[in-house]
Amino acid sequence: MTRIGDFDLCERLSPAIPVWVTQVGVALLTVLGAKIVRLVFDIVAGGAAPFALIYPAIMLATLFARAFAGTLTATIMIVYIWYFIYPVERSFRFATSANAFAVAIVIVTAIMTIAIAELFRRTARRATQARDREIADRDLFLAEFDHRMKNNFAIVAGLLDLQKRRASDPATVQALETAQMRVDSIARAHRHLYRGTGQPGTVEISAYLSDLCAALAESLFLQGGITLSCDSDQAAVPRDRAVSIGLVVNELVTNAAKHAFPGRDLGTITVTLRNKAEGGWRVTVADDGVGMPKGAALPGKTSGLGSRLVEAFARQAGGTLSTESDESGTRVVMKLES
């Protein structure tokens, strides 16, 4: 019903076109449309039910251009039919008292139809205005929530950075850097969630992964011959799954940057996300490094914090992991069902 409130032509065209001009125009167009339909009906059943099209015509005119347009439509159609068709052609005379009673009934029912249509139009308009107010209030709330969340992420990232600067143990510094990148990954997913694009509660994964890879390349100091590329299909992914996907990519790219290219100045890390034909997505993080040493923990095995985190994030996303590694590089695939 609220959609009817969006079709007030008088309001849409004003002030470029005066309201009364819009109402007269709608009335005339409605009468013309009814006349065309009447001609088609007359081919099948000539002269039957001459007043039948009055009610849908005045209903449409009233809903789209208010009561005056409906009244004008009813007046034109009733006078035209009364004079040219019913009951005596080209005359306002009545052949019998029953004819006069029939025209009176048409007039009364036309007035009732206009009143009902106008009441419905106003109710729909009020519902539309209430909906618009609710949307405005929701947008204001989301903007405030977004602002507060950004501040919270910034505070957490700042505290981690402060601790990292004060730490002297290399292992502690590295752990704090890793934690900082994980917080940044979640923060970026949040920013993409509240950009107002895509379906509510979802993240456009292509833009999110591109943004995340650019930040990882900068934070991991990937430059020169070591490059990170990202290629993703367009997909609206639910917020929680998008965060988990980002965390998996964060861990795998970080591991590849640190361990895949020892003593090498050239290398490529590739992140891809593809829509599966049967539904869901396939996320791949691959490198052309030296491969994983024999006996090393693969994602999905319960050995090593990084591997356990990748496994936990993948499970949280509802995905399954598979890993291939040899002297030509490592390829980790996470398959997610829709």
Side-chain angles (χ1 to χ4, degrees), residues 115-323:
I116 293 172
E118 178 64 12
L119 178 62
F120 180 83
R121 188 193 66 80
R122 294 188 180 189
T123 302
R125 183 62 182 164
R126 286 194 293 269
T128 299
Q129 292 173 341
R131 178 202 64 188
D132 292 342
R133 287 193 298 269
E134 290 176 359
I135 292 175
D137 292 342
R138 183 200 66 184
D139 290 343
L140 179 62
F141 170 78
L142 288 177
E144 177 64 20
F145 179 75
D146 183 32
H147 178 69
R148 290 181 181 273
M149 288 299 295
K150 285 179 180 178
N151 288 343
N152 291 339
F153 282 125
I155 290 172
V156 173
L159 289 173
L160 290 172
D161 185 64
L162 180 63
Q163 289 297 111
K164 182 182 69 176
R165 293 176 184 276
R166 291 184 176 181
S168 56
D169 180 28
T172 302
V173 172
Q174 182 177 352
L176 290 171
E177 286 179 349
T178 302
Q180 194 171 4
M181 284 190 290
R182 289 167 184 155
V183 171
D184 181 70
S185 177
I186 300 173
R188 289 178 186 278
H190 171 83
R191 287 198 294 272
H192 282 274
L193 174 65
Y194 290 103
R195 281 182 178 176
T197 59
Q199 304 171 13
T202 64
V203 173
E204 176 43 59
I205 198 67
S206 177
Y208 169 46
L209 288 181
S210 296
D211 189 21
L212 177 61
C213 287
L216 286 171
E218 181 179 353
S219 61
L220 294 170
F221 303 104
L222 295 180
Q223 55 187 343
I226 307 296
T227 60
L228 171 62
S229 64
C230 179
D231 183 18
S232 172
D233 292 342
Q234 298 284 335
V237 179
R239 174 195 57 199
D240 293 340
R241 300 189 80 178
V243 170
S244 299
I245 291 171
L247 289 170
V248 169
V249 170
N250 182 89
E251 294 295 324
L252 294 176
V253 169
T254 302
N255 290 339
K258 291 180 178 179
H259 306 297
F261 310 102
R264 291 176 50 178
D265 296 327
L266 296 176
T268 302
I269 305 171
T270 303
V271 177
T272 60
L273 182 142
R274 294 287 178 262
N275 295 316
K276 297 196 297 182
E278 64 275 17
W281 310 276
R282 179 183 291 103
V283 182
T284 304
V285 179
D287 64 71
D288 58 359
V290 298
M292 301 179 70
K294 293 182 178 180
L298 300 175
K301 305 295 182 181
T302 55
S303 176
L305 176 60
S307 297
R308 291 200 300 272
L309 286 175
V310 171
E311 180 186 14
F313 295 146
R315 186 168 56 249
Q316 189 176 35
T320 57
L321 290 168
S322 62
T323 304

